[in-house]
Amino acid sequence: MIAFILRRLAQAVGVLLAVGFIAFSLFTYIGDPINAMVGQDTSMEDREELRRKLGLDDSPPLQFARFIGNAASGRFGLSYRTSDPVGRLILERLPATLELSLCAAIFAVGLGVPLGVYTGLYPRHWTSRALQAVSLIGISLPTFLIGIMLILFFAVILNVLPSFGRGDTVKFGWWTSGFFTWSGLKALILPSITLGLFQLTLIMRLVRSEMLEVMRTDYIKFARARGLSNRAINFGHALKNTLVPVITITGLQLGAIIAFAIVTETVFAWPGMGQLFVQSVQFGDIPVMAAYLLLVSFFFVVINMIVDLLYFVVDPRLRGMGAAAAGRH
Amino acid sequence: MALIDSFRRAADSDIWHSFRASPMTMAAAAVTLFIVLAAFLAPLIALQNPFDPANLNLSDAMRPPMFFGGEWSFPMGSDDQGRDLYSAILYGTRLSLEVGLAVVFFSMILGIGLGLVAGYVGGTLDAIIMRIADVQLTFPAILIALLIDGVVRGVISVKRHEEIAVFVIVASISLAFWVQYARTVRGSVMVERNKEYVQAARVIGLPRWLIMFRHVLPNVMGPVLVIATINLGLAIITEATLSFLGVGLPSTQPSLGTLIRIGNEYLNSGEWWITIFPGLTLAALVLAVNLLGDWLRDALNPKLR
């Protein structure tokens, strides 16, 4: 198991370095950072001086090493658009995105798994068929369209929920939270549903097909023959054996949630990282884009690692294999 | 005669039967056909050319749709520029379809090419291509497309970007979509390359590129075509999403996504039609295309059922 973790860790570092290299190339070779910093009337000598001072005349490997070092400590330079430090810009907006993603993920998993179990256990019931048909629509429609429909219905027609912003937030140090005020919680509802709906339908369909598969196996028949209660069979035997693919997909989808927050945040004018990223793309603001890319890939890699480790928790066979593999060494 | 023959064979095939057996699929095909026809006949059936600023009159802005107090000249109402929404939707759908098809085409070419090379040549080249694919697969396609689009914007001026917006968006989505094709093709090629017909071709002394494209490629095309159909819906959604975010097609030549973005600003003030009509069109189009893609996947691949 240790060897497995180390191998995964090496892979993760590899991916991060590759992304870091892309971010670095963008940063260094697309658009001249000097041009973005100085005025038009700066002389060539002054530019060279600045270039030397910033270390931009060093060899590329050295510059790359410095870039990675700076990135690891959160220094990404200045935004071309607002001239603020990029690290601070992103940090200010990080809580909004993470809280939204967390709510969306809880919504997707908390509702997706039970609905999937239900439709998997009673595939012929009309509610299951209806859910299955509706989920097809949920999977086909683009996120932003669902958000707009929700706004039209709940904010414009019924006027019960806010259509934009985070509501009132509470500050904890640098973290701002919308979890502790009424308006903050109300503001979270529509964006979370919008962001989580795709993942909800995906998880529901996956759990359903896995349940259908498992319910056909012999060990379920034997469990029935042993006279176990339906509850014990459904949850103790069937659901547990569907969890490995479900965890894989769910984990990957958590990363997708953070990325798709870009769209949801734009629909609901949610002051998060995604909105910042879209603004920086519209403006061609490379430092912000590079920093966002690195941060998001860091999240992705961490999530993937956690997913891999969860396999050991869920699947006892893997633990045995891991032990056997470790024993051989 | 050959044509009639192939028609007869098609009418007798499993695919046709499974098509006729599924009313949902036939409905989806009808909707797709209707939208595609309407989009490509746009110059004939539209009331104005919405891409031509000379046709727009600001005093016509924000007219409500016909049955909501509007008039015949603007059947679905008009937007903030005085554009007739009905015509804009026709032209916008056409643009969305064209971008979607172009993306499928280019990403398929790129993916097939790289997948063939990776699978057939192998070695370092294979390792490089597949590592790039792995890293890219870690990220959702929309993020990659956004990034490429943003980089292009960082390099060229805003005005220049507006002129080549269609090419930029096709290129950025295609570059985000090639991985799936490449991985599929590579996998099939690894199986095919050891078969006897390839060995025979090699013994005859055919050049490597000829074996790859003439002998191996036709045998790995099946799954590729299935991915292509499913990706068409995805490509249309991605384009619409990028345009909605304001980084896709500009408002001077609006696709469905651009129209929805324009209307979204007026949703709170009661002008719902600017968003809702393009939105419904997009929803119907994507849903129908996806249903067709799902059906084709099942029909061509009985194992998956």
Side-chain angles (χ1 to χ4, degrees), chain B:
Chain B
M1 277 318 271
L3 195 68
I4 296 172
D5 255 12
S6 54
F7 266 122
R8 197 166 292 149
R9 254 177 50 209
D12 206 32
S13 66
D14 290 350
I15 291 192
W16 179 246
H17 280 289
S18 88
F19 181 74
R20 290 292 302 274
S22 158
M24 189 88 130
T25 310
M26 288 201 286
V31 171
T32 313
L33 200 66
F34 175 73
I35 294 179
V36 169
L37 270 182
F40 284 91
L41 293 178
L44 297 176
I45 55 176
L47 299 175
Q48 56 167 239
N49 179 358
F51 295 170
D52 186 357
N55 287 339
L56 307 183
N57 192 343
L58 270 182
S59 62
D60 289 332
M62 302 296 188
R63 294 278 173 88
M66 204 161 64
F67 296 111
F68 296 87
E71 47 209 281
W72 278 101
S73 48
F74 297 96
M76 290 183 176
S78 65
D79 71 357
D80 60 334
Q81 306 284 320
R83 230 187 316 247
D84 168 40
L85 217 52
Y86 161 71
S87 315
I89 287 175
L90 285 178
Y91 277 86
T93 310
R94 187 154 88 148
L95 211 50
S96 293
L97 273 172
E98 281 168 355
V99 170
L101 288 172
V103 164
V104 167
F105 180 75
F106 286 116
S107 56
M108 193 163 84
I109 301 274
L110 190 65
I112 289 175
L114 290 174
L116 265 182
V117 170
Y120 195 78
V121 178
T124 327
L125 210 52
D126 177 33
I128 293 174
I129 294 174
M130 284 301 123
R131 280 300 86 71
I132 296 176
D134 283 346
V135 172
Q136 205 174 318
L137 212 58
T138 326
F139 301 95
I142 183 120
L143 197 58
I144 311 243
L146 264 172
L147 198 72
I148 297 171
D149 195 77
V151 170
V152 174
R153 273 165 204 268
V155 181
I156 64 175
S157 72
V158 177
K159 196 171 172 315
R160 184 97 183 83
H161 184 274
E162 211 157 277
E163 287 162 18
I164 58 168
V166 176
F167 301 102
V168 174
I169 201 165
V170 168
S172 33
I173 305 177
S174 302
L175 283 174
F177 271 27
W178 64 274
V179 176
Q180 215 183 349
Y181 297 101
R183 287 170 69 105
T184 312
V185 169
R186 175 177 174 271
S188 320
V189 169
M190 304 271 261
V191 177
E192 293 293 324
R193 61 177 296 181
N194 295 326
K195 289 199 176 158
E196 275 148 5
Y197 72 91
V198 176
Q199 285 174 2
R202 215 177 293 163
V203 170
I204 302 172
L206 290 181
R208 204 147 66 163
W209 62 268
L210 198 68
I211 303 179
M212 277 198 308
F213 285 96
R214 287 287 296 281
H215 296 257
V216 178
L217 182 58
N219 287 300
V220 301
M221 276 307 276
V224 169
L225 290 179
V226 172
I227 297 178
T229 358
I230 292 172
N231 270 1
L232 178 60
L234 219 53
I236 293 174
I237 288 187
T238 309
E239 183 275 323
T241 306
L242 289 179
S243 293
F244 174 77
L245 293 177
V247 296
L249 296 171
S251 52
T252 45
Q253 41 175 355
S255 74
L256 288 176
T258 320
L259 288 174
I260 296 170
R261 172 170 60 89
I262 295 170
N264 194 31
E265 291 164 22
Y266 300 101
L267 197 58
N268 278 318
S269 53
E271 283 91 6
W272 50 269
W273 58 89
I274 312 178
T275 307
I276 297 305
F277 287 134
L280 289 179
T281 314
L282 180 67
L285 176 64
V286 172
L287 197 60
V289 168
N290 277 353
L291 280 172
L292 276 184
D294 278 356
W295 162 77
L296 193 68
R297 181 191 56 199
D298 294 346
L300 291 181
N301 232 348
K303 267 175 284 175
L304 284 177
R305 245 179 288 177

Side-chain angles (χ1 to χ4, degrees), chain A residues 26 140 145 266 281-282 297 300, chain B residues 138-139 153 237 245 286 290:
Chain A
L26 289 181
S140 293
L145 214 51
T266 308
V281 168
Q282 283 169 349
S297 48
F300 280 16
Chain B
T138 326
F139 301 95
R153 273 165 204 268
I237 288 187
L245 293 177
V286 172
N290 277 353

